[in-house]
Amino acid sequence: MKKTLLMAAAALAAGIISSQAQPVYSQNIVGYVNIPVAVGYTAMDNPLSNNGNNSATNLFDTTSGANDGSIILQWAGTHYTQVVFDSSKATGFTDVGSGSQTLTPPVLAPGTGFLFNNQGASNTFTFTGSVAVDGPGTATNVVGVTTNILSAGTVYVLPSSKIAIGGGISSVLGIKNVGGALDGSIVLIPNIINGIIRGYTQTVFDSSKATGFTDIGSGSQTLAEPVIAVGQSFLFSNQSGSDYQWIQSL
Amino acid sequence: MKKYIIATTALLVVATSAFSQGLVYFSAGSSVATRMSTNSVVGGPSTGLTGTTPGLYYYALFASASQANVNGNTTAISGLNANYVFNNLGSGVPSTGWELVGIGTNNASSGRMQPASQGTTSAGQSIPNADLSLNVQGIAGAGSANIVAVGWYSPGIGPDLASLQTWYGAGAFNGWIGQSVVGNVVLGDGGTIPSPNVFGTGPGQLGGFMMGLTIVPEPTTLALAAFGGASLLLFRRKK
């Protein structure tokens, strides 16, 4: 999945202002991200914070009817919940079961993945906003940090990078298997063929392998590090026994 | 011993397939391309969407793991036609034929419908699942299912599959009926494989379809009926 990240504006006054009693950091790294959305399913996320208001109404066209029938699916711990674009409803969304209810638009914050079932033509969505930053940087040349908690309380979670970057899940995105703590945890990337989810490609964290990853079938193979594109989400099964603090620095 | 093992294995396979079930949604109309319409003359084109009075139109959904067409046909049909799925069920089970999944009906929005019940027989219908999804009996979640839907105007026919079959078998006079294309979806498993809506514009999904007028009695037949009625009235007055 080819993604284009175009950061349009410069970082403004991103450093800590030392004259203040409390550290102050800037979130003024703004821009936009283009994400191709083919017909059928795409595992994606909202890669930028839309001024803190990430209601789907602010991210997608819900009024013209262009997205009518398309579906946003969010992970609910054990299954997906689905809301359908419907411009005839006051909120722009209805239920998939009957198509008669008026539903609250889902909130799609950076770091939380979702599936988009595109019922229209193949398209490119443009997300605009600020790079999500949860707190000030703690090292030199670090603007800020984000924290995404990958819960161990459910078998799967559906996260994405809070920061709009793509690459190796450990080497670039920063899910680090320190001391083998994540050994046995699984990254599941949906196999989307002709727009339909046909199972998942599963890769297991294994600190005993040279790459740090093995296969789920035998646990004997050495697999390449999974690569997650900008704006892409994935299922993650945290087998560490406790919540994992996925901290990313910007 | 070998025969015993083979027989046991075969039984297990049958038992597994019999109890397996995937999930689908059965609602239409959120997008224009999935809305239902009717015509006004036999064989004529669509003249408008179904109306806004709920419960006038009914829809039956069928699934099969083995049949990719209905009597050789995969396209949408309407009016009188030899290729309706309820007349070509085969064994009636997904492994070798078409099986009823559930029944839907139109709601208060023009051209739209939603599920009303689920079950594999006309008499054995029960309420849909809590999220209004329907169970596809005999095909497991994440499994591939061929699907087809039939719709009809219920006044004069009835709201269930048995009454539809009876009406059609008796000549199918004065009614509207149609059938969707034959589609194919991957069934939801209630977990990581999401439940699909059978209606949509994506690969394998069903579009909205037209229900066509069937047979209308010829004018001479109507005239004869009118003449007969008038004669009866005259006869009653003379008495």
Side-chain angles (χ1 to χ4, degrees), chain A residues 39-41 68-69 71 73 75 78-80 82 84-86 88-89 94-101 115 117-120 156 194-200 235, chain B residues 25-32 34-35 107 109 112-115 131-133 142 144 184-186 190-197 199-205:
Chain A
V39 174
Y41 287 103
D68 279 356
I71 306 171
L73 301 92
W75 185 247
T78 57
H79 62 282
Y80 289 100
Q82 307 190 24
V84 183
F85 285 84
D86 187 341
S88 73
K89 306 296 183 192
T94 189
D95 66 304
V96 69
S98 71
S100 63
Q101 299 177 43
L115 301 179
N117 186 347
N118 180 12
Q119 293 282 299
Y156 301 112
N194 293 329
I196 297 169
I197 295 178
R198 302 269 185 184
Y200 291 78
L235 282 173
Chain B
Y25 289 107
F26 186 42
S27 71
S30 296
S31 64
V32 174
T34 62
R35 292 182 186 156
N107 58 31
S109 296
R112 299 193 183 204
M113 58 77 60
Q114 64 185 75
D131 65 351
L132 297 181
S133 62
S144 177
N184 179 276
V185 294
V186 173
T192 57
I193 302 296
S195 303
N197 191 346
F199 290 106
T201 57
Q205 289 178 296

Side-chain angles (χ1 to χ4, degrees), chain B residues 132-219:
Chain B
L132 297 181
S133 62
L134 304 182
N135 300 327
V136 180
Q137 303 290 350
I139 307 176
S144 177
N146 300 310
I147 48 171
V148 66
V150 175
W152 69 96
Y153 180 64
S154 67
I157 298 177
D160 53 54
L161 180 61
S163 57
L164 175 68
Q165 289 172 307
T166 299
W167 168 79
Y168 199 91
F173 290 102
N174 285 332
W176 280 267
I177 183 172
Q179 181 172 285
S180 71
V181 300
V182 176
N184 179 276
V185 294
V186 173
L187 303 180
D189 64 357
T192 57
I193 302 296
S195 303
N197 191 346
V198 297
F199 290 106
T201 57
Q205 289 178 296
L206 311 179
F209 57 91
M210 185 186 79
M211 287 164 275
L213 190 57
T214 56
I215 301 168
V216 179
E218 291 181 9

Side-chain angles (χ1 to χ4, degrees), chain B residues 7 11 44 75 179-180 199 222 225 233:
Chain B
L11 276 174
T75 59
Q179 181 172 285
S180 71
F199 290 106
L222 288 172
L233 282 172

Side-chain angles (χ1 to χ4, degrees), chain B residues 17-47:
Chain B
S17 66
F19 289 113
S20 61
Q21 61 181 36
L23 298 165
V24 291
Y25 289 107
F26 186 42
S27 71
S30 296
S31 64
V32 174
T34 62
R35 292 182 186 156
M36 307 296 180
S37 62
T38 59
N39 64 7
S40 302
V41 296
V42 176
S46 168
T47 50

